[in-house]
Amino acid sequence: MSSNLLEGRIPPSLSNCSSLLILDLSSNHLTHDVPSELGSLSKLVMLYLGINNLTGQFPASLGNLTSLQELDFGYNRMEGEIPDDVARLTQMVIFQISLNSFSGVFPPGVYNMSLLKYLSLPGNSFSGNLRDDFGDRLPNLRRLLLGINQFTGAIPITLPNISSLERFDTSDNHLTGSIPLGFGKLPNLWWLGIQYNSLGNNSSTDLEFLSNFGNVFKGLLGPENKLVAVKVLNLLKHGSMKSFLAECEAFKGIRHRNLVKLITVCSSLDSKGNEFRALVYEFMPKGSLDMWLQPEDLERANNQPRTLTLPEKLNIAIDVASALEYLHVHCHDPVAHCDLKPSNILLDDDLTAHVSDFGLARLLYKFDRESFLNMFSSAGVRGTIGYAAPEYGMGGQPSIQGDVYSFGVLLLEMFTGKNPTDESFAGDYNLHSYTKSVLSVNEETGGSKAIDEGVRLVLQVGIRCSEEHPRDRMRMAEALRELFSIRSKFFGSNTTIRVNPSG
């Protein structure tokens, strides 16, 4: 019963459905409080009440649902503290209560959910400290989202013990202290959001990981106080300052409307005599593409309460393809990006896409070869699992064919809505094979709308780009031509054609 126009209260009489396993009333216009009677649905496994106008408090009676594995109360107007009764929900895997008005300390009962993989509390009024043994109590977390609250104290030192952690966001709180050692050793972590806190100045040993190549800060430049993004690089090799500056100067000569502009370079010594190297880029106000593809981050995309339309997605795909085609074909020396993923695609006010971090793989390969090889090891590409070409996991060097693979995965993610790291993918079953199976079923049933045909053609481009063997992949120029053709034929009346290849 989700995504309808249901209004009014949730009927307490639903408690009579004693054999109910799944109750999904999300994305409606339901009001008032959550009936305490739902706590008698002892067999319930999934309870989805998100994206409504529910008020009142979290019913303590829901602690009786000891079989419950997934709960979503996000995007409502509920308030009050989370009752300790949730400690009995020991089978919980997903606990999502973001964007409400819940308050109090971090819910103590949640520490008892040792099987939890997804915990989302952003946009509430939780306060107080997080327990030091946080990571030991919740060892299976993959996503831990605590942003836009009022948490204080230090980031728990045990969080790096969560080896499965992929995404940690505690931005917009009042945290203090340093970032715990060990985040850089987490093999699956690809997002670390810690901005807008009161964290102290971290040394390079404290701040081991914010991105594959360095730490990004927002700053002001020059007398005009121009807003910029500053990437402080963590290159381990000392010396070679002249060579480093020469390499970066070459990047400044790489200009394309769909590449983030490198404004200037800094290479000097800090107050402790350590080498300090940073790149200063133009700032992109609409954030990164992954913020728009991940529903829980829509509120961070400059408060844009919507998802991207199909024409917008296609425009962004063409922007990215244009940038890669320029790097691969039109630069004096071909440049392999080597780390293409949604978080490295930034959007300006017009939702024009700009590819960032281009050339940094070459910097790392040249100035810190050991770190480069470790990053692209058989254990998986740190922060880029799902997007990196298979050959990188076998010691392959940066290549434009690897970029084509990453672009293909990106296309498939944008137009299927499936993340390449989805839990359903394992072994040889991945986003590429999933999409091929979807298209096979679609061909058997037949698509009735022109837009269906357009999306099918886009997905075919994604499949051809993400073939396992480099020799079987399309070239980026060919992929770009295909996407231009699809946009002209199926989306031409809904979008603006942008054809300037190198302006």
Side-chain angles (χ1 to χ4, degrees):
M1 292 186 286
S2 66
S3 302
N4 284 288
L5 300 174
L6 300 178
E7 298 179 345
R9 295 176 180 268
I10 297 175
S13 57
L14 284 174
S15 60
N16 295 326
C17 302
S18 57
S19 298
L20 199 62
L21 298 177
I22 300 174
L23 178 56
D24 187 356
L25 297 174
S26 60
S27 301
N28 282 293
H29 302 293
L30 298 172
T31 55
H32 298 85
D33 55 359
V34 177
S36 60
E37 289 84 354
L38 296 185
S40 64
L41 296 172
S42 59
K43 296 183 179 180
L44 203 63
V45 176
M46 301 177 186
L47 177 59
Y48 304 130
L49 302 180
I51 315 180
N52 279 290
N53 294 302
L54 299 173
T55 56
Q57 299 195 350
F58 191 110
S61 63
L62 297 186
N64 298 325
L65 304 179
T66 55
S67 297
L68 197 63
Q69 297 179 15
E70 299 183 10
L71 179 145
D72 184 355
F73 285 0
Y75 294 80
N76 280 291
R77 293 184 292 156
M78 300 177 69
E79 59 187 5
E81 299 185 8
I82 305 300
D84 292 342
D85 304 74
V86 301
R88 300 200 300 272
L89 305 179
T90 57
Q91 301 303 307
M92 191 69 71
V93 175
I94 296 176
F95 192 75
Q96 147 64 322
I97 57 173
S98 65
L99 295 166
N100 280 279
S101 297
F102 291 118
S103 58
V105 299
F106 181 91
V110 171
Y111 288 114
N112 209 39
M113 302 177 184
S114 60
L115 300 180
L116 203 60
K117 293 183 178 180
Y118 183 105
L119 176 60
S120 180
L121 309 183
N124 285 288
S125 297
F126 291 112
S127 58
N129 294 4
L130 303 172
R131 286 176 49 160
D132 286 341
D133 61 351
F134 195 109
D136 296 331
R137 299 299 298 267
L138 301 173
N140 295 300
L141 281 174
R142 296 182 63 176
R143 297 202 173 186
L144 175 57
L145 310 178
L146 306 176
I148 319 178
N149 279 287
Q150 299 170 30
F151 289 117
T152 54
I155 297 175
I157 59 174
T158 55
L159 280 185
N161 295 344
I162 308 176
S163 60
S164 58
L165 194 62
E166 299 174 353
R167 190 182 184 100
F168 172 52
D169 188 351
T170 185
S171 54
D172 290 287
N173 279 285
H174 305 293
L175 298 174
T176 56
S178 298
I179 301 171
L181 296 173
F183 271 111
K185 298 179 176 64
L186 290 176
N188 300 313
L189 187 66
W190 61 274
W191 178 287
L192 180 60
I194 57 172
Q195 65 269 31
Y196 307 119
N197 280 284
S198 299
L199 297 169
N201 293 325
N202 294 276
S203 70
S204 59
T205 54
D206 290 327
L207 195 55
E208 292 187 7
F209 174 73
L210 272 177
S211 71
N212 278 352
F213 301 105
N215 316 319
V216 183
F217 304 90
K218 185 163 65 173
L220 300 174
L221 180 68
E224 303 87 4
N225 285 332
K226 179 181 177 66
L227 197 58
V228 294
V230 182
K231 181 180 285 288
V232 180
L233 300 179
N234 295 328
L235 301 180
L236 299 181
K237 183 177 178 180
H238 300 287
S240 304
M241 192 173 292
K242 280 188 177 181
S243 179
F244 173 82
L245 289 173
E247 192 81 18
C248 292
E249 285 299 320
F251 293 162
K252 290 173 67 175
I254 299 176
R255 295 292 179 89
H256 187 278
R257 69 185 305 277
N258 298 122
L259 293 174
V260 177
K261 181 181 178 182
L262 178 62
I263 298 175
T264 189
V265 178
C266 177
S267 182
S268 61
L269 301 178
D270 63 16
S271 59
K272 298 180 180 179
N274 299 315
E275 290 185 359
F276 175 85
R277 293 170 174 176
L279 306 176
V280 181
Y281 293 100
E282 61 180 332
F283 182 77
M284 292 288 118
K286 293 297 184 183
S288 57
L289 179 59
D290 64 320
M291 298 169 70
W292 292 76
L293 297 181
Q294 299 294 331
E296 67 268 21
D297 285 328
L298 284 177
E299 291 296 313
R300 296 198 184 281
N302 281 354
N303 296 317
Q304 297 295 321
R306 64 176 181 85
T307 56
L308 295 168
T309 65
L310 285 175
E312 286 170 341
K313 289 181 179 180
L314 185 56
N315 273 342
I316 290 171
I318 288 176
D319 288 341
V320 175
S322 298
L324 292 177
E325 195 260 350
Y326 173 77
L327 290 173
H328 294 176
V329 178
H330 299 290
C331 287
H332 182 267
D333 294 315
V335 176
H337 188 288
C338 210
D339 194 29
L340 185 71
K341 56 187 176 183
S343 60
N344 279 337
I345 298 168
L346 308 180
L347 305 177
D348 65 16
D349 278 321
D350 299 323
L351 293 182
T352 299
H354 301 255
V355 176
S356 68
D357 277 9
F358 63 92
L360 292 191
R362 188 166 75 184
L363 268 185
L364 195 63
Y365 189 74
K366 185 170 184 178
F367 292 96
D368 190 2
R369 185 74 58 90
E370 181 179 353
S371 292
F372 178 89
L373 294 176
N374 286 339
M375 189 178 72
F376 295 101
S377 68
S378 58
V381 181
R382 179 188 299 171
T384 319
I385 294 174
Y387 300 96
E391 60 268 22
Y392 288 166
M394 296 179 286
Q397 295 185 11
S399 70
I400 60 177
Q401 291 86 1
D403 286 352
V404 174
Y405 180 92
S406 301
F407 177 74
V409 173
L410 176 70
L411 265 186
L412 299 183
E413 178 181 10
M414 290 175 68
F415 285 87
T416 65
K418 279 275 195 179
N419 190 293
T421 61
D422 189 278
E423 289 184 356
S424 63
F425 298 141
D428 293 332
Y429 183 62
N430 53 25
L431 183 54
H432 176 93
S433 54
Y434 163 81
T435 307
K436 290 181 73 172
S437 66
V438 169
L439 289 183
S440 177
V441 172
N442 181 263
E443 289 176 358
E444 293 175 2
T445 58
S448 58
K449 299 179 181 179
I451 193 71
D452 294 336
E453 176 66 10
V455 171
R456 185 182 68 82
L457 292 174
V458 171
L459 293 176
Q460 284 185 341
V461 173
I463 288 173
R464 293 172 63 193
C465 288
S466 58
E467 293 287 354
E468 181 177 1
H469 299 291
R471 64 177 180 272
D472 296 330
R473 298 169 196 158
M474 302 177 75
R475 292 187 178 275
M476 190 52 62
E478 183 183 358
L480 181 59
R481 285 195 299 270
E482 291 279 351
L483 294 177
F484 268 129
S485 175
I486 294 168
R487 184 171 67 179
S488 176
K489 184 175 181 180
F490 296 98
F491 299 93
S493 61
N494 297 319
T495 188
T496 300
I497 303 295
R498 301 200 289 259
V499 295
N500 184 3
S502 58

